[in-house]
């Protein structure tokens, strides 16, 4: 009888834990501060999409989509603010935050377009507790403000001029080595199966085009699979070495020339 009782209690505790976990995952982890134009949400990454408005909640597993001439701004429970440009797509893969314990485990995915992220809270942890992923990059955040811009050939990352800026960047492909730490006003590109470019210093003026694109969008250049594109006036990144057997790519962001 005692063994049966203990077994029943164990099963009940497991079920209770699963219910609490499910409830926590279903709780909003962010709120739409601003919504302009048409912005929709795929709950649990599933159709049908529902239009959103200011003060609506965002949960783990949701996908946010902005249409043409549409923008959105989300404030997460840790006070991180994500601003999403037109024609962009973002997914909330996981988000756990315990202010009392100073613990956070957050992962966002940028699938398309352009976003600006401001992570205000920094905790003394061994590994980054706030991660942003794209089709080519993994960004480990330790407190900073930066732009993430999706291109068919890779991911462009630009940091703002903030004291204490520290953004860890590496390829999403395990076979591509190399990790960098970007500080304030720096740029790098992470491409398909190639080492990322060296960190390049930029100026506040170099961010003006990005600030404009936060309002207008970046068009087809932010769609994976679209043809090569460039942003006129953007800084030219250093030439990144390619893996043996891969064709060389020479890119000039100011001219849009590709070889």
């Amino acid at each position: 009888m005692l063994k049966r009782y203990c077994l029943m209690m164990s099963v009940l505790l497991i079920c209770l834990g699963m219910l609490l976990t499910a409830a926590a995952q279903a709780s909003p982890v962010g709120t739409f501060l601003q919504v302009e134009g048409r912005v929709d949400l795929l709950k649990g990454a599933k159709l049908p999409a529902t239009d959103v408005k200011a003060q609506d909640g965002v949960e783990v597993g949701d996908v946010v989509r902005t249409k043409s001439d549409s923008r959105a701004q989300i404030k997460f429970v840790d006070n991180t603010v994500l601003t999403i440009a037109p024609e962009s797509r973002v997914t909330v893969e996981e988000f756990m935050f315990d202010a009392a314990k100073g613990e956070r485990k957050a992962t966002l995915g940028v699938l398309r377009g352009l976003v600006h992220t401001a992570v205000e809270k920094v905790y003394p942890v061994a590994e980054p507790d706030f991660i942003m992923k794209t089709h080519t990059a993994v960004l480990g955040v330790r407190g900073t403000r930066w732009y993430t811009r999706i291109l068919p050939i890779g991911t462009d990352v630009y940091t703002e001029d903030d004291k204490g800026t520290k953004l860890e960047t590496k390829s999403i492909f395990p076979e591509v080595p190399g990790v960098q730490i970007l500080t304030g006003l720096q740029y790098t590109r992470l491409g398909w199966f190639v080492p990322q470019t060296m960190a390049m210093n930029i100026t506040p003026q170099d961010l003006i085009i990005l600030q404009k694109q936060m309002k207008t969008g970046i068009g087809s250049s932010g769609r994976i699979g679209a043809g090569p594109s460039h942003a006129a006036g953007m800084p030219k990144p250093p030439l990144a070495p390619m893996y043996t057997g891969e064709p060389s790519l020479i890119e000039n962001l100011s001219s849009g020339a590709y070889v």
Side-chain angles (χ1 to χ4, degrees), residues 78-94:
D78 66 336
N79 290 330
T80 291
V81 175
L82 184 73
T83 306
I84 308 172
E87 297 184 82
S88 300
R89 186 172 297 185
V90 176
T91 179
V92 183
E93 295 186 12
E94 63 177 337

Side-chain angles (χ1 to χ4, degrees), residues 150-225:
I150 305 300
L151 298 174
I153 60 174
T155 303
D156 285 350
V157 181
Y158 298 83
T159 59
E160 291 188 351
D161 186 17
D162 284 340
K163 293 181 179 179
T165 291
K166 194 174 181 182
L167 182 63
E168 179 182 293
T169 62
K170 63 181 179 180
S171 174
I172 199 169
F173 306 108
E175 60 269 37
V176 179
V179 177
Q180 285 193 116
I181 302 295
L182 298 188
T183 55
L185 285 176
Q186 289 194 317
Y187 160 89
T188 189
R189 169 170 290 181
L190 300 103
W192 283 99
F193 295 102
V194 297
Q196 63 179 302
T197 63
M198 296 180 294
M200 179 181 180
N201 292 329
I202 59 176
T203 69
Q205 287 69 35
D206 292 322
L207 301 178
I208 292 177
I209 292 177
L210 287 169
Q211 293 166 1
K212 291 180 179 178
Q213 289 179 340
M214 288 299 301
K215 297 180 180 179
T216 63
I218 61 178
S220 62
S221 63
R223 183 177 302 125
I224 298 173

Side-chain angles (χ1 to χ4, degrees), residues 32-195:
F32 283 92
L33 292 182
Q34 297 180 15
V35 175
E36 298 180 25
R38 187 185 174 192
V39 180
D40 65 27
L41 198 67
L42 297 176
K43 301 299 296 182
K46 297 179 181 179
L47 292 170
T50 58
D51 292 338
V52 298
K53 59 184 184 299
Q55 301 307 312
D56 281 353
V58 179
E59 300 174 359
V60 172
D62 289 351
V63 177
V64 182
R65 306 188 303 184
T66 56
K67 308 301 182 180
S68 301
D69 299 321
S70 302
R71 289 159 290 277
Q73 188 173 75
I74 302 171
K75 185 175 183 179
F76 290 94
V77 290
D78 66 336
N79 290 330
T80 291
V81 175
L82 184 73
T83 306
I84 308 172
E87 297 184 82
S88 300
R89 186 172 297 185
V90 176
T91 179
V92 183
E93 295 186 12
E94 63 177 337
F95 213 108
M96 183 281 295
F97 178 64
D98 189 326
K101 296 181 179 180
E103 295 179 352
R104 172 177 57 197
K105 187 176 182 181
T107 304
L108 303 182
V110 183
L111 310 178
R112 174 180 172 180
L114 172 67
V115 301
H116 177 268
T117 313
V119 178
E120 305 294 346
K121 291 186 179 296
V122 183
Y123 297 102
V125 292
E127 298 294 332
D129 58 0
F130 192 107
I131 302 294
M132 178 170 282
K133 296 180 179 179
T134 74
H135 61 313
T136 61
V138 177
L139 311 179
V141 185
R142 297 182 181 276
T144 185
R145 296 168 178 255
W146 81 99
Y147 293 90
T148 305
R149 185 172 182 268
I150 305 300
L151 298 174
I153 60 174
T155 303
D156 285 350
V157 181
Y158 298 83
T159 59
E160 291 188 351
D161 186 17
D162 284 340
K163 293 181 179 179
T165 291
K166 194 174 181 182
L167 182 63
E168 179 182 293
T169 62
K170 63 181 179 180
S171 174
I172 199 169
F173 306 108
E175 60 269 37
V176 179
V179 177
Q180 285 193 116
I181 302 295
L182 298 188
T183 55
L185 285 176
Q186 289 194 317
Y187 160 89
T188 189
R189 169 170 290 181
L190 300 103
W192 283 99
F193 295 102
V194 297

Side-chain angles (χ1 to χ4, degrees), residues 5-33:
Y5 175 78
C6 292
L7 179 60
M8 291 177 60
M9 290 300 296
S10 298
V11 172
L12 287 173
L13 289 173
I14 292 173
C15 292
L16 179 60
M18 293 175 64
L19 288 172
L20 291 175
T21 300
Q25 292 177 339
S27 301
V29 296
T31 303
F32 283 92
L33 292 182

